[in-house]
């Protein structure tokens, strides 16, 4: 990263920050080499100009998916880009062809489902968003195409997601290779199932990670010649053996030791184990327990994993027995012996552990002791046995422990590989390397030295690959790169591994000398490398040294280098364990060749490490490498936390920044000609106005700016480091001048606007003051007028008030007098009225008392009579209720019951009729009686009036005193008699009314009973219908079963020649005038057997006409097949071929025979006609014919259910009421089918259609025809998909406009560009028009046409929408406008095609329409989540909206996407959906199913009239097809 140039005041830059690593800011002042920066967090930072890096203010807010596209490729730019993408859950980013994967620490299942795999399958690298599937796909394609093995190097510290990334790689490779493993487990599952075992024995806690891999794992996925997975293998490298014996605080030893110490009590007792603090190999560190980890549960999980891998219980016990033996062996200590340089077991505790070790390893304790403290030296003269001093004995003990553990680990790997299964014949493989990353702690020892040596080797391999990729890019663009220097770390590797004189060589040399110490070793290093630029001697230490690695300087403590490096191969150890009585232990140490077992040989871990590393590098060099760098964003392992310093350190250790240095050594900035002109065209507008091509225009701009050292390739401009900043500075200057010009004009405009506003305000103020003065004068005049008016009204008020007072007094006096008179009159009238009222009430009481006594007597009489009638009715109802139980009888009694119910209904109807008649008669009688009573009453009243008048007249004529009393008595008697007569008439009338009311109630009760019986009859009828339907279904099922059995029997007969010769042959007798009396459409079927029987009794002359009839029938079938192979065309929009086939089959009664070959020949004809799948005209022709023929069959054929029953049963059913009802029900759809198909009346004609009892061949023919209809439909649909698929890829992204359209005033160029943009959409419309024209010409039913275009538009919706979500360059504003214009073309096509053919096709584009609508709306940050989900995009899911929102970028106006609050809300909702197991895939599926059924065809297709179809010329004149000719009425 070269120091920046052209940093000026106002430049946006990055500066170092102690909290955030890098922070953005703006340069406020420059003093020589000092730069003052105002940061975004409000601080002012003063730093050197070399430590300031330019910031790209025009970078997309969501970052770029490939960091080589960054305008400024430096450390802060890379960090900011990763942070911006991580915030949007974009965890993958490219750096060239290197993939950086940031662990999201949350589930993102939508990124790894099958839909996503399908999208990346075969896609070009970089075409879709960065993904681990893209790396795997590139490796797989390279292996298939070039035949060379590939490797994928996954690196990163523990917790960065290496295992998950490896899992996804293997999942995708398994998806491409498609091989299932043993017992239903895939290769990926088998490899991952071995992880717990390898982690238990190969992982340990380090300073930084609780589960750090202390070995390298290379997973080989093997493929056969066809590219299918054939096996897998796990290779392990560089196990850290020294950790078994030496552990630094606060680290831990390998997990298996602690797991075994936390095993169940019975296991610990068996291995004689206790607390981990008791063992020397574990108590060197104070850390025994990991936070959040239960070692006892991990022990059980490891046991289960061993079971899954295939390790038996005996082998598991042996494994843990060896682990326990190593722990006990570490507690064996030695003391000085009696002799010089000898040693003995220190104490009884040590001897106990020695005995326990021998017991666990099943070897002799004495032999074990001798192997630890004695050595045998073989000379030519004699064999010498010598003892070791305590220090040498301890070294011998540790060497044995390391050797046993290493052999145990190798055995586990071999066992796992055997469980997975390998392919020895595999020639191609894809390897996935998962290895520990660079380590730099506060205290670094021999383990860190070996690990960093490994990473230096891998980094050199990585650098060579990156430089190779750079060279390929330069060669591809045909630019000169010969002077670019390769950034190499060979000097560091020479410092470590060079022979002689390297660090490892000097360490081995020190280990071979007994008197060497770590101080002498350090002094040797200081002397040897004092002038080496990569080696640094610390000032305050005598045993430390510093090496400058690619990732930074690391200081190593040499204190334990010698002890940890020693790794003697001791013959005594080998002989001891080979002789073990435990087969497992003896198997770990097979016998060595005789020459190698005579003496002990020195071996060092460093040398062994170097050899294994060399083997790994040879394996990697033989493959094509691909790199994935996994990054852990934070140490708390939680989502949405991005720790900058942590990320920077991992990028350095992962070599990503080293790769950036390599790019910076060449041409770090690369821009296509379009991008370069679009960004820097403002530097030379005259160049854009010229007619030169883009390459020459770029050259002219660069020359005008005076740059040197750049290169112009075939498609890109390559700029050296710093040149981009220089161009941006000049561009900023040009834009600044333009901005100042704009500001000057704006300020002029604003000043004039302000003057006009002030002038307007002054005028308004003057008007306001004048208005106030005028209003004051007016107010004064108004007050004077008001005072005069008030006086006038006051005087009038006083006068009127005096007048009203006088008038009120007069009126009050008059009112009092009148009230007194009125009260007197009222009092008199009230008294008179009270007397009259008293008389009236008394008379009323007397009459009412008499009436109540009569009424009570009548009611008592009525109640008695009604009680008697009700008891009789109750008995009748109970009897009727017992009779209704007969409805639940069995099926045999059901028919009889129905007849009884029918009879009862008729009886009830008659009763109801009689009752109504009686009721009418009674009502008439009542009316007559009432009328007579009314007449009598009127006469009595008239007579009483006449008598009263006569009496009154007599009273008036009589003398006053003498005749007064008798007359009164006589009148009173007459009145009483008349009143009694009236009362009797009223009583009679009341009784008649009561009788009428009772009759009415009885009528209502009868009607209720009739309604109940009617309801019961209807229920019984419904039950009858249900039983009838059930019986009918059973009959049809039995019929189809019998038909199938019969067909199977016939097929079985055809298997043998004898059966074939004796098979009955069906003969169909045509309907002719001679045999035209065939009843009910039953065909005359004669078998060969019946012919042979009749031939003995009938003359031979009768057999010849039958034979000629069969030949004639065969000839007619041949002629029909020959006819339909031709294109017969259409008659009145109806397909002739379908109608001819149907009429022939119906006339020959082929539907009703048990065996015929005509159906198979028709199907074969259709199959041969559609063999050419690309001929859409032929396909549409047969689609029309098959759909029409299927429609005719659907309305003609019916299952032969009743026909398959026995004749006796059919006759019984038909004779019963149930049978008659079922026949009536079956007859109705038949008649409907007749009217639907031909629409003509009359019987006995050939053209009259009928429903026939179809046999099995006819039903099978219908099924085959349905299958061919669906096949032809699918072929037409798929052909249209294939035709528009290549164009859809061009329709999703708008082609970049030409340079001419960047200038203003180029209307013609814009019109040409717009025409080019819409050309792809017009090609799709052209294809749609072509297919619609073909289907219309072949009269394909509109229903099928609608289905075709509905599925095609759904396919367009899926392809466009998925491409939009997978390619960030498509989620732009201008691209949204382009796609929206294309969708308008499709909408116009739908409108032109009419709803009859397009149907709801336009609605199928709802996803892409709403997505595009979201892209082109303005002011997205102001939209709330509710508005987006409810109004703008109700169809899109939260995952889809989140994807579009985070990928959106505005390349036209520079606007932003939705607000961060909306993004956060979407992320929360996605997390909730993920927790609730809701599918989170944001991609759509293409539905390729058949979207209709046979019933849909029969319901939606129009009627087909086959009566007037003209037969083809080929069969028109043939005598056997005369029935096809239309008949005249």
């Amino acid at each position: 990263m070269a120091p920046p140039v052209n940093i000026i005041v106002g430049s946006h830059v990055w500066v170092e920050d102690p909290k955030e690593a890098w922070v953005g800011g703006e340069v406020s002042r420059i003093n020589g080499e000092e730069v003052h920066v105002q940061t975004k967090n409000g601080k002012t930072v003063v730093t050197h100009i070399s430590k300031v890096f330019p910031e790209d203010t025009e970078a997309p807010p969501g970052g770029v998916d490939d960091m080589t596209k960054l305008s400024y490729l430096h450390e802060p730019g890379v960090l900011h880009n990763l942070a911006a993408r991580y915030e949007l859950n974009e965890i993958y980013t490219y750096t060239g062809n290197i993939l950086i994967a940031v662990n999201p620490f949350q589930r993102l299942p939508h990124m790894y489902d099958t839909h996503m795999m399908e999208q990346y399958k075969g896609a070009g690298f970089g075409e879709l968003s960065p993904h681990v599937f893209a790396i795997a796909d590139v490796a797989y394609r390279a292996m298939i195409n070039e035949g060379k093995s590939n490797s994928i190097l996954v690196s990163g510290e523990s917790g960065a997601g290496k295992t998950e990334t490896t899992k996804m790689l293997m999942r995708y490779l398994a998806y491409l290779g498609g091989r299932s493993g043993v017992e239903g487990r895939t290769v990926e599952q088998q490899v991952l199932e071995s992880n717990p075992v390898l982690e238990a024995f190969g992982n340990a806690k380090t300073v930084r990670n609780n589960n750090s891999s202390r070995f390298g794992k290379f997973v080989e996925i093997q493929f056969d010649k066809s590219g299918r997975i054939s096996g897998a293998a796990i290779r392990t490298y560089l196990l850290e053996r020294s950790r078994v014996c030496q552990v630094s605080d606060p680290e831990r030893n390998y997990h298996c030791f602690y797991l075994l110490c936390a095993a169940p009590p019975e296991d610990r007792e068996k291995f004689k184990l206790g607390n981990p603090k008791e063992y020397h190999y574990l108590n060197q560190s104070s850390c025994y327990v990991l936070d959040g980890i239960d070692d006892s549960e991990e022990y059980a999980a490891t046991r289960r994993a061993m079971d899954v891998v295939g390790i038996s219980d005996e082998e598991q016990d042996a494994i843990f027995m060896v682990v326990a033996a190593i722990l006990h062996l570490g507690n064996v200590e030695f003391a000085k012996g009696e002799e010089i340089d000898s040693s003995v077991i220190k104490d009884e505790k040590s001897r106990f552990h020695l005995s326990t070790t021998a017991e666990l390893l099943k070897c002799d304790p004495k032999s074990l002791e001798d192997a630890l403290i004695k050595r045998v030296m073989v000379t030519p003269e004699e064999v010498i046995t010598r003892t070791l001093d305590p220090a040498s004995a301890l070294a011998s003990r540790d060497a044995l422990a390391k050797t046993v553990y290493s052999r145990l680990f190798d055995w586990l790997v071999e066992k796992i590989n055997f469980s997975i299964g390998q392919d020895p014949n595999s020639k191609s493989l894809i390897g996935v390397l998962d290895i520990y990353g660079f380590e730099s702690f506060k205290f670094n020892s021999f383990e860190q030295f070996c690990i960093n040596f490994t990473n230096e080797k891998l980094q050199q391999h990585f650098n060579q690959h990156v430089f190779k990729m750079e060279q390929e890019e330069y060669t591809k663009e045909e630019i000169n790169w010969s002077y670019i220097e390769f950034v190499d770390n060979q000097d560091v590797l020479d410092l470590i591994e060079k022979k002689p004189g390297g660090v490892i060589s000097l360490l081995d040399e020190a280990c071979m000398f007994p008197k060497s110490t770590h101080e002498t070793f350090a002094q040797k290093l200081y002397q040897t490398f004092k002038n080496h630029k990569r080696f640094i001697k610390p000032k305050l230490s005598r045993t430390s040294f510093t090496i400058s690695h690619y990732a930074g300087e690391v200081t190593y403590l040499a204190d334990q280098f010698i002890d940890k490096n020693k790794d003697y191969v001791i013959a005594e150890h080998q002989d001891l364990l080979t002789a073990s009585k435990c087969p497992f232990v003896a198997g770990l140490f097979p016998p060595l060749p005789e020459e190698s077992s005579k003496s002990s040989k020195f071996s060092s871990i460093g040398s062994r490490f170097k050899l294994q590393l060399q083997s790994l590098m040879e394996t990697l060099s033989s493959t094509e490498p691909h790199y994935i760098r996994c990054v852990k964003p934070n140490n708390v392992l939680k989502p949405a936390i991005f720790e900058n310093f942590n990320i920077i350190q991992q990028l350095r250790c992962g070599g990503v920044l080293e790769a950036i240095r390599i790019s910076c050594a060449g041409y770090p900035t690369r821009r296509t000609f379009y991008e370069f002109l679009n960004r820097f065209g403002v530097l030379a507008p005259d160049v854009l106005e010229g007619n030169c091509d883009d390459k020459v225009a770029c050259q002219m701009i660069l020359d005008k700016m005076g740059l040197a050292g750049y290169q112009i390739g075939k498609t890109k401009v390559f700029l050296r480091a710093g040149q981009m900043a220089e161009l941006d500075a000049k561009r900023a200057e040009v834009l600044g001048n333009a901005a100042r010009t704009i500001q000057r004009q704006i300020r002029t405009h604003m000043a004039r606007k302000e003057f006009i506003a002030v002038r307007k305000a002054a005028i308004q103020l003057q008007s306001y003051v004048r208005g106030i003065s005028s209003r004051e004068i007016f107010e004064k005049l108004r007050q004077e007028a008001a005072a005069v008016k008030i006086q006038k009204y006051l005087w009038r008020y006083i006068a009127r008030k005096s007048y009203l007072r006088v008038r009120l007094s007069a009126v009050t006096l008059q009112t009092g007098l009148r009230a007194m008179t009125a009260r007197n009159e009222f009092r008199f009238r009230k008294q008179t009225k009270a007397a009259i009222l008293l008389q009236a009430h008394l008379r009323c009481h007397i009459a009412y008392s008499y009436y109540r006594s009569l009424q009570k007597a009548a009611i008592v009489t009525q109640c008695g009579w009604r009680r008697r009638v009700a008891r009789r009715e109750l008995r009748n109802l109970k009897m009727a209720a017992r009779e209704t139980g007969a409805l639940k009888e069995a099926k045999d009694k059901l028919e009889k019951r129905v007849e009884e119910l029918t009879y009862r209904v008729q009886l009830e109807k008659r009763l109801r009729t009689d009752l109504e008649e009686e009721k009418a008669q009674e009502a008439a009688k009542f009316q007559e009686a009432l009328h007579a009573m009314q007449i009598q009453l009127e006469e009595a009243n008239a007579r009483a009036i006449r008598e009263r008048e006569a009496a009154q007249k007599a009273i008036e004529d009589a003398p006053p005193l003498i005749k007064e009393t008798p007359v009164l008595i006589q009148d009173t008697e007459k009145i009483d008699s008349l009143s009694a007569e009236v009362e009797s008439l009223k009583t009679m009338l009341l009784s008649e009314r009561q009788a009428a009311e009772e009759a009415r109630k009885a009528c209502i009760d009868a009607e209720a009973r009739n309604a109940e019986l009617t309801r019961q009859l209807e229920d019984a009828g419904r039950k009858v219908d249900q039983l009838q339907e059930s019986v009918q279904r059973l009959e049809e099922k039995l019929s189809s079963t019998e038909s199938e059995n019969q067909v199977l029997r016939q097929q079985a007969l055809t298997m043998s020649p004898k059966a074939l010769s004796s098979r009955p042959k069906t003969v169909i007798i045509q309907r002719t005038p001679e045999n035209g009396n065939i009843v009910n459409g039953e065909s005359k079927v004669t078998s060969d057997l019946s012919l042979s029987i009749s031939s003995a009794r009938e003359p031979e002359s009768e057999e010849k006409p039958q034979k000629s009839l069969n030949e004639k029938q065969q000839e007619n079938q041949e002629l029909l097949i020959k006819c339909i192979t031709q294109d017969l065309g259409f008659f009145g929009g109806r397909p002739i071929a379908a109608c001819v086939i149907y009429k022939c089959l119906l006339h020959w009664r082929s539907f009703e025979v048990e065996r015929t070959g005509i159906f198979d020949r028709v199907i074969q004809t259709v199959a041969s006609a559609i063999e050419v799948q690309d001929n859409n005209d032929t396909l549409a022709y047969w689609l029309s014919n098959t759909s029409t023929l299927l429609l005719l069959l659907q309305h003609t054929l019916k299952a032969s259910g009743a026909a398959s029953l026995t004749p006796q049963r059919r006759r019984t059913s038909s004779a019963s009421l149930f049978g008659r009802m079922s026949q009536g029900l079956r007859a109705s759809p038949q008649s409907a089918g007749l009217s639907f198909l031909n629409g003509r009346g009359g019987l006995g004609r050939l053209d009259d259609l009928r429903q026939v009892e179809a046999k099995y061949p006819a039903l099978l023919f219908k099924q085959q025809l349905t299958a061919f209809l669906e096949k032809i439909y699918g072929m037409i649909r798929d052909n249209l998909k294939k035709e528009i698929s290549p164009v859809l890829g061009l329709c999703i992204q708008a082609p970049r406009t030409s340079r001419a359209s960047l200038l203003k005033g180029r209307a013609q160029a814009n019109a040409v560009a717009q025409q080019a943009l819409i050309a792809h959409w017009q090609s799709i419309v052209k294809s749609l028009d072509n297919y619609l024209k073909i289907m219309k010409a072949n009269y394909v039913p509109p229903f099928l046409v609608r289905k075709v275009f509905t599925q095609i538009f759904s396919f367009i919706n899926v392809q466009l929408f998925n491409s939009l979500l997978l390619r960030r360059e498509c989620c732009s504003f201008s691209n949204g406008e382009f796609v929206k214009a294309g969708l308008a073309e499709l909408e116009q096509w739908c409108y032109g095609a009419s709803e009859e053919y397009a149907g709801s096709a336009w609605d199928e584009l709802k996803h892409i329409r709403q997505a595009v609508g979201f892209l082109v709306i303005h002011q997205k940050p102001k939209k709330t989540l509710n508005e987006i989900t409810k109004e703008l995009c109700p169809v899109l899911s939260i995952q889809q909206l989140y994807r579009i929102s985070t990928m959106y970028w505005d390349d036209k106006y520079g606007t932003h996407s939705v607000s961060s609050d909306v993004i956060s809300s979407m992320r929360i909702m996605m997390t909730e959906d993920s927790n609730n197991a809701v599918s989170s895939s944001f991609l759509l599926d293409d539905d390729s199913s058949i979207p209709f059924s046979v019933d849909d065809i029969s319901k939606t297709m129009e009627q087909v009239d086959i009566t007037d179809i003209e037969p083809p010329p080929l069969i028109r004149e043939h005598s056997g097809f005369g029935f096809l000719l239309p008949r005249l009425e």
Side-chain angles (χ1 to χ4, degrees), residues 1232-1275:
L1234 287 170
S1235 62
F1236 176 81
L1237 288 170
N1238 55 31
R1240 288 191 174 189
L1243 297 173
R1245 297 200 303 265
L1246 293 176
D1247 291 332
D1248 292 336
L1249 306 183
R1250 68 187 183 283
Q1251 279 198 326
V1252 297
E1253 297 280 355
K1255 300 299 182 182
Y1256 180 76
L1259 298 176
L1260 181 62
F1261 172 64
K1262 179 182 174 183
Q1263 294 178 358
Q1264 291 175 334
L1265 195 65
T1266 304
F1268 269 95
L1269 172 64
E1270 294 175 352
K1271 180 180 180 181
I1272 298 171
Y1273 171 87
M1275 292 167 67

Side-chain angles (χ1 to χ4, degrees), residues 113-114 116-123 132-145 152 167-180 186-188 221-230 430:
D113 54 14
T114 308
M116 192 67 75
M117 293 184 186
E118 185 66 30
Q119 294 295 325
Y120 280 89
K121 183 178 179 181
V132 66
F133 292 161
I135 298 294
D137 192 79
V138 169
Y140 183 79
R141 301 298 166 195
M143 181 195 70
I144 295 298
N145 298 331
I152 302 174
K167 175 182 175 181
M168 295 306 165
L169 286 170
M170 289 189 288
R171 271 191 61 198
Y172 186 77
L173 292 175
Y175 172 76
L176 295 177
R179 173 244 187 185
S180 294
T186 62
V187 172
E188 164 218 351
I221 301 178
Q222 300 160 345
F223 296 84
D224 56 17
K225 295 180 180 180
S226 61
R228 302 182 70 82
I229 295 177
S230 58
I430 293 180

Side-chain angles (χ1 to χ4, degrees), residues 268-483:
R268 282 183 290 164
E269 184 178 351
K270 179 169 57 176
F271 300 130
K272 298 181 180 181
L273 291 177
N275 194 291
K277 298 179 181 179
E278 301 174 2
Y279 300 99
H280 171 67
Y281 285 165
L282 304 183
N283 60 21
Q284 300 174 41
S285 170
S286 61
C287 179
Y288 300 98
V289 180
L290 298 179
D291 294 337
I293 302 296
D294 188 346
D295 286 333
S296 60
E297 294 181 359
E298 292 297 318
Y299 173 78
T302 304
R303 282 274 197 175
R304 290 194 297 270
M306 287 180 170
D307 293 334
V308 172
V309 169
I311 302 176
S312 64
D313 293 338
E314 294 79 9
E315 290 174 333
Q316 292 180 31
D317 290 339
I319 289 170
F320 286 107
M321 182 180 66
V322 172
V323 174
I326 293 174
L327 288 179
H328 286 291
L329 181 63
N331 281 10
V332 177
E333 298 181 354
F334 304 93
K336 288 185 178 182
E338 297 177 356
E339 300 178 3
I340 301 174
D341 291 338
S342 65
S343 59
V344 294
I345 302 301
K346 183 177 181 180
D347 50 22
E348 289 301 321
K349 181 180 179 182
S350 297
R351 187 163 296 280
F352 165 76
H353 287 293
L354 178 69
S355 302
T356 304
T357 303
E359 179 184 349
L360 293 173
L361 296 178
K362 295 186 179 180
C363 60
D364 183 49
K366 182 60 178 175
S367 300
L368 176 60
E369 182 180 352
D370 292 341
L372 292 177
I373 64 177
K374 293 181 180 181
R375 290 291 176 269
V376 177
M377 300 180 65
V378 180
T379 64
E381 293 82 10
E382 60 180 342
V383 176
I384 302 172
T385 302
R386 68 180 182 90
T387 58
L388 303 176
D389 59 5
S392 300
L394 289 176
S396 174
R397 178 200 68 184
D398 292 344
L400 176 60
K402 289 186 284 188
T403 302
V404 171
Y405 193 83
S406 176
R407 297 284 181 92
L408 175 63
F409 188 78
D410 293 340
W411 184 90
L412 284 171
V413 174
E414 184 178 354
K415 184 69 176 179
I416 290 171
N417 285 334
F418 177 78
S419 172
I420 296 174
Q422 304 179 52
D423 181 12
N425 300 321
S426 175
K427 300 299 181 183
S428 301
L429 63 89
I430 293 180
V432 181
L433 177 64
D434 180 359
I435 199 167
Y436 33 59
F438 191 89
E439 291 186 353
S440 177
F441 304 140
K442 184 177 181 180
F443 301 104
N444 301 282
S445 187
F446 182 68
E447 296 84 3
Q448 283 69 44
F449 176 79
C450 294
I451 289 171
N452 293 341
F453 171 44
T454 303
N455 281 275
E456 283 286 357
K457 273 284 191 181
L458 293 174
Q459 185 63 30
Q460 185 187 44
H461 186 265
F462 176 67
N463 290 349
Q464 291 172 350
H465 173 73
V466 172
F467 191 69
K468 179 183 175 183
M469 293 298 104
E470 290 284 312
Q471 289 178 348
E472 290 180 356
E473 176 73 11
Y474 299 154
T475 304
K476 178 183 175 182
E477 291 291 330
E478 298 179 358
I479 67 173
N480 181 21
W481 53 272
S482 58
Y483 58 87

Side-chain angles (χ1 to χ4, degrees), residues 124 158-159 227 232 417 868 939 1426:
S158 181
N417 285 334
R868 182 178 178 185
E939 290 177 353
N1426 188 59

Side-chain angles (χ1 to χ4, degrees), residues 604-824:
S604 71
I605 289 182
S607 300
R608 185 188 298 270
F609 201 90
K610 187 169 69 172
L611 291 175
Q612 287 189 345
L613 184 57
Q614 184 178 354
S615 172
L616 174 61
M617 299 311 298
E618 289 175 356
T619 302
L620 294 179
S621 299
S622 64
T623 62
E624 183 68 23
H626 307 272
Y627 293 91
I628 299 177
R629 296 302 192 226
C630 297
V631 177
K632 182 169 69 173
N634 58 78
N635 289 322
V636 295
L637 310 182
K638 292 184 178 179
I641 300 176
F642 195 85
E643 298 175 354
N644 291 348
F645 277 109
N646 191 11
I647 300 294
I648 286 292
Q649 179 63 25
Q650 293 180 66
L651 292 179
R652 288 172 181 161
C653 296
V656 176
L657 299 183
E658 190 72 11
I660 292 174
R661 286 194 193 94
I662 294 175
S663 297
C664 290
Y667 300 97
T669 305
R670 301 144 197 200
R671 287 290 181 271
T672 62
F673 295 148
Y674 172 82
E675 292 172 346
F676 185 83
L677 292 175
N678 193 30
R679 181 160 184 163
F680 298 111
V682 295
L683 298 178
D686 53 334
V687 174
L688 293 179
E689 293 177 356
N691 294 324
C692 52
D693 61 5
D694 292 348
K695 183 174 183 179
V696 176
C698 294
Q699 179 79 45
M700 293 173 67
I701 292 176
L702 290 168
D703 291 342
K704 184 176 180 180
M705 294 298 104
L707 296 182
Y710 63 86
Q711 293 276 1
I712 296 184
K714 297 172 65 177
T715 61
K716 297 179 182 177
V717 175
F718 292 81
L719 301 177
R720 301 284 287 178
Q723 290 183 338
M724 188 72 176
E726 187 175 350
L727 287 173
D728 271 341
K730 294 181 179 179
R731 176 173 175 268
E733 183 180 355
V734 172
L735 293 177
N737 293 333
R740 282 189 289 273
T741 302
I742 295 173
Q743 289 172 358
R744 184 168 62 247
Q745 296 295 330
I746 290 296
R747 286 170 182 157
T748 301
H749 171 72
M750 291 173 62
R752 175 164 177 78
K753 186 177 180 181
E754 184 179 359
F755 163 73
I756 294 174
V758 170
R759 187 179 65 177
K760 184 178 180 181
I763 294 173
Q764 288 181 347
L765 183 60
Q766 293 172 358
S767 301
Y768 182 70
V769 171
R770 291 172 184 149
I772 290 176
S773 176
S774 300
R775 281 193 294 275
E776 289 178 351
I777 297 172
F778 171 75
E779 182 67 20
K780 185 177 180 181
L781 295 175
R782 192 169 67 86
Q783 288 178 356
E784 291 178 356
V788 173
K789 187 173 291 187
I790 289 172
Q791 292 173 1
K792 180 181 65 176
Y793 282 109
L794 180 60
W795 293 335
R796 189 180 64 179
Y797 170 73
I798 293 171
R800 180 168 177 77
K801 188 175 181 180
S802 176
Y803 161 73
L804 290 177
R805 187 183 304 112
V806 174
R807 192 184 68 169
L808 180 62
S809 300
V811 170
T812 301
L813 184 60
Q814 294 174 359
T815 301
L817 294 176
R818 291 171 182 165
M820 184 177 63
T821 306
R823 279 193 293 271
N824 293 333

Side-chain angles (χ1 to χ4, degrees), residues 98-161:
I98 306 163
L99 180 68
I100 299 176
V102 185
N103 194 337
F105 292 120
Q106 60 178 324
R107 294 172 61 245
L108 300 174
H110 63 279
M111 294 187 65
Y112 307 104
D113 54 14
T114 308
H115 309 307
M116 192 67 75
M117 293 184 186
E118 185 66 30
Q119 294 295 325
Y120 280 89
K121 183 178 179 181
F125 185 79
E127 181 180 340
L128 302 178
S129 300
H131 204 286
V132 66
F133 292 161
I135 298 294
D137 192 79
V138 169
Y140 183 79
R141 301 298 166 195
M143 181 195 70
I144 295 298
N145 298 331
E146 302 173 9
K148 183 179 179 182
S149 297
N150 283 251
S151 60
I152 302 174
L153 282 70
V154 183
S155 63
E157 65 179 52
S158 181

